[in-house]
Amino acid sequence: MVYKTSYPGHYYDAIIYSQLDKPWDSVVRFLHVTLADLGWYKGAAEEVVMDVGCGPGRLTSQFIMPCFPKLRKLIAMDALPSMIEVAKSLYSHPKIEYVVANFEDDSAVQCSEEEVTKFISIHCFNRIKDQYAAFKRLYELLPPEGEAALLFLLHNGYYDAIRKLAKDPKWQPYIPFNAEDGIPESQTKKYSSSHYERMMKDIGFKVLHCQQVQNVTTFPTDEEYINFYFSVSHLVPFIPDSKKEDFKKDLLLYTLKENGRNTDGTPVDKTTTIELVIKK
């Protein structure tokens, strides 16, 4: 299942991605340590949680849902129908409602008749084109005292690799748009956590936690490493099937030049993320 939209930043191969859907240590630490330390899971009332950018559902069902002992409902949302199809087939649960909706439009905040008390989004907001509008929408969604926890990418060597690969004369003829359109603004404008802290306060949120984190994640093999990047690259839909294996090889070379390897030769992902916990 492959899905793409007119905005080139929205692309995932749901089948490949679901096979590699292993939450990184930084994500598990944020959910199980940072949020727990902030008392996120100790509320006395039943919770209605919204998870935006749920992907194929493993993180939602196995890592987010168990954190809420008084969960009434978990609304798991993704803009890509193929991801929701996989999630429903692999990780269905009576308390999880999987929904196809895009948080970049108003349909996302209209999908639930119940009041959302907690909002979670992991590695999704970096793909949203107008982040300020999305955070304003989040503010409107939450009730007074409602809280949101987000973790998303600020910078990654992969995006520098994509920028250079798209300009390679070998591949440039196949790319019908400016590759920068699929690269997060935080990468091109070198945003830091202070940018988002100012934005949250401007919108009206109280900032409970805002931290920039450097992460290095090791992949066991080159094959798993490049399959992951291939499954999310917004250039892939425009490469002819007959040339995709060759493109994958070049994608590996360009990405390794930016992110490098460990001393034992295993490939790594080098990412700067932001952890953000806010309250209305």
Side-chain angles (χ1 to χ4, degrees):
M1 296 177 203
V2 175
Y3 184 79
K4 64 180 180 178
T5 70
S6 57
Y7 169 46
H10 287 169
Y11 168 79
Y12 276 94
D13 186 309
I15 295 298
I16 296 176
Y17 187 81
S18 66
Q19 294 168 352
L20 301 171
D21 184 27
K22 302 172 184 177
W24 295 0
D25 290 345
S26 57
V27 173
V28 176
R29 184 179 64 247
F30 178 64
L31 291 173
H32 290 176
V33 179
T34 303
L35 294 184
D37 288 346
L38 290 170
W40 239 56
Y41 310 122
K42 295 179 180 179
E46 287 188 326
E47 302 275 17
V48 176
V49 180
M50 179 178 283
D51 173 22
V52 167
C54 67
R58 183 181 180 196
L59 184 66
T60 304
S61 63
Q62 296 185 357
F63 292 85
I64 295 176
M65 186 177 67
C67 290
F68 292 94
K70 296 182 179 179
L71 179 71
R72 181 163 79 243
K73 184 178 183 180
L74 202 166
I75 303 161
M77 178 189 303
D78 203 283
L80 308 185
S82 56
M83 286 294 188
I84 295 299
E85 288 176 24
V86 172
K88 285 180 176 179
S89 66
L90 296 179
Y91 300 107
S92 63
H93 190 279
K95 289 190 176 183
I96 301 178
E97 177 186 349
Y98 289 109
V99 178
V100 177
N102 189 342
F103 206 75
E104 293 181 270
D105 61 54
D106 290 335
S107 65
V109 300
Q110 298 168 356
C111 70
S112 175
E113 297 178 355
E114 300 182 68
E115 189 174 79
V116 173
T117 59
K118 291 285 199 316
F119 177 98
I120 295 178
S121 183
I122 304 297
H123 287 307
C124 173
F125 265 53
N126 52 289
R127 288 181 170 267
I128 289 179
K129 199 67 174 172
D130 188 343
Q131 291 183 333
Y132 187 89
F135 278 112
K136 285 277 288 184
R137 188 170 291 112
L138 172 57
Y139 188 85
E140 294 166 2
L141 169 72
L142 290 173
E145 304 301 312
E147 295 184 20
L150 304 97
L151 184 152
F152 56 93
L153 177 148
L154 289 180
H155 320 119
N156 191 311
Y158 158 76
Y159 284 114
D160 290 329
I162 281 292
R163 182 186 288 118
K164 294 174 182 177
L165 181 59
K167 294 178 180 178
D168 188 318
K170 181 178 178 181
W171 302 111
Q172 194 172 29
Y174 301 105
I175 312 301
F177 58 88
N178 185 347
E180 299 284 336
D181 290 343
I183 295 175
E185 191 175 87
S186 60
Q187 175 94 8
T188 57
K189 295 188 176 181
K190 303 185 188 307
Y191 289 156
S192 66
S193 58
S194 61
H195 169 83
Y196 291 95
E197 188 163 5
R198 288 193 300 270
M199 184 192 294
M200 296 308 102
K201 291 177 179 178
D202 179 65
I203 290 171
F205 282 112
K206 178 181 179 181
V207 178
L208 304 179
H209 174 80
C210 184
Q211 182 174 329
Q212 192 168 317
V213 182
Q214 303 290 332
N215 305 290
V216 178
T217 302
T218 297
F219 283 74
T221 65
D222 283 8
E223 182 181 15
E224 186 169 317
Y225 180 72
I226 203 54
N227 280 343
F228 170 76
Y229 285 121
F230 185 81
S231 76
V232 303
S233 173
H234 64 290
L235 305 184
V236 169
F238 305 97
I239 305 300
D241 289 344
S242 62
K243 296 184 178 294
K244 281 184 176 173
E245 284 304 313
D246 191 24
F247 176 81
K248 187 184 285 190
K249 292 176 183 177
D250 282 0
L251 180 61
L252 174 64
L253 292 175
Y254 273 89
T255 306
L256 283 173
K257 285 180 182 178
E258 301 297 331
N259 281 344
R261 296 182 182 273
N262 288 314
T263 54
D264 63 1
T266 51
V268 296
D269 174 87
K270 294 179 180 178
T271 304
T272 304
T273 56
I274 180 170
E275 298 177 352
L276 187 61
V277 185
I278 50 183
K279 185 174 185 177
K280 182 171 177 177

